[in-house]
Amino acid sequence: NAGVIQTPRHKVTGKGQEATLWCEPISGHSAVFWYRQTIVQGLEFLTYFRNQAPIDDSGMPKERFSAQMPNQSHSTLKIQSTQPQDSAVYLCASSDRLGGAEQFFGPGTRLTVL
Amino acid sequence: GQQVQQSPASLVLQEGENAELQCNFSTSLNSMQWFYQRPEGSLVSLFYNPSGTKQSGRLTSTTVIKERRSSLHISSSQITDSGTYLCAMERSGGSNAKLTFGKGTKLSVKS
């Protein structure tokens, strides 16, 4: 079991460029979560999927951020027109069911927007 | 206000001393987890502990759902225990599977 896989581990973009972050959940897990961590805000929820369907995106910024889960083996978080305030560590997690289940986290992607 | 209050914010120990980390929750919770965050940022799940007491080696987690609190006890601390410890809760009710995190306790163990 390789655990949750996230790529790339580090990404540097220029202001205004697009960034796509990838997550591969643990095989067989039906729920996938995205979080981000900054020094100021701490670790905060962005969005999650169950069986590939979006369930709650209440933590996602309304503009420029989008997430998809095209199949059970991966999810993407896309940030358009990146801004310096988007710099953060983006963490993906998965669990074997939605609610009342342990979440397992990937190593994260450190995004730096210059 | 903050839904998850974690204390202390930082803690310095001499190797061999014990530590008690606390989390208090302002809402009813369905479950909670304790994590250790490595220096490079990755999260290691220490305990998934909806209620009661769980032990793993020198670590013990106790969650009292009715009192909306959880603690992490580290016995005989070692230098390698240094790092940031985070607690997170899953609120009860509705489709609240997302975790809400505390701000963390930064632990430093010195020789």
Side-chain angles (χ1 to χ4, degrees), chain B residues 25-46:
Chain B
F25 310 103
S26 61
T27 64
S28 298
L29 61 155
N30 194 32
S31 67
M32 66 82 54
Q33 278 183 256
W34 281 97
F35 296 91
Y36 170 73
Q37 186 161 37
R38 294 192 176 114
E40 83 274 14
S42 60
L43 289 178
V44 177
S45 179
L46 298 175

Side-chain angles (χ1 to χ4, degrees), chain A:
Chain A
N1 187 343
V4 176
I5 298 171
Q6 288 189 252
T7 55
R9 294 294 308 277
H10 302 273
K11 186 171 183 65
V12 179
T13 65
K15 183 179 175 181
Q17 292 183 327
E18 183 178 287
T20 300
L21 313 180
W22 293 71
C23 171
E24 180 179 330
I26 293 172
S27 178
H29 280 192
S30 58
V32 173
F33 304 80
W34 285 96
Y35 299 85
R36 73 175 171 183
Q37 186 174 29
T38 62
I39 293 174
V40 174
Q41 297 292 337
L43 226 162
E44 53 184 359
F45 164 79
L46 293 175
T47 185
Y48 68 80
F49 298 82
R50 178 189 179 187
N51 293 327
Q52 302 168 232
I55 302 297
D56 182 347
D57 66 354
S58 59
M60 292 275 275
K62 297 305 178 190
E63 297 179 352
R64 303 185 294 105
F65 281 66
S66 63
Q68 287 86 34
M69 191 161 184
N71 57 59
Q72 64 184 7
S73 63
H74 88 273
S75 174
T76 58
L77 179 68
K78 184 179 291 186
I79 309 171
Q80 294 178 312
S81 186
T82 54
Q83 303 297 310
Q85 62 265 30
D86 300 331
S87 297
V89 176
Y90 289 83
L91 292 156
C92 176
S94 70
S95 63
D96 62 4
R97 62 187 181 279
L98 198 63
E102 186 173 7
Q103 293 187 23
F104 297 89
F105 281 74
T109 295
R110 183 176 296 275
L111 175 67
T112 302
V113 182
L114 301 175

Side-chain angles (χ1 to χ4, degrees), chain B residues 60-77:
Chain B
T60 303
S61 169
T62 299
T63 298
V64 185
I65 287 280
K66 287 185 178 179
E67 297 180 10
R68 299 180 183 177
R69 61 177 177 85
S70 183
S71 64
L72 178 68
H73 183 84
I74 304 173
S75 63
S76 303
S77 61

Side-chain angles (χ1 to χ4, degrees), chain B residues 7-21:
Chain B
S7 62
S10 62
L11 184 62
V12 179
L13 298 175
Q14 285 296 122
E15 195 173 15
E17 290 182 328
N18 299 332
E20 186 91 2
L21 282 55

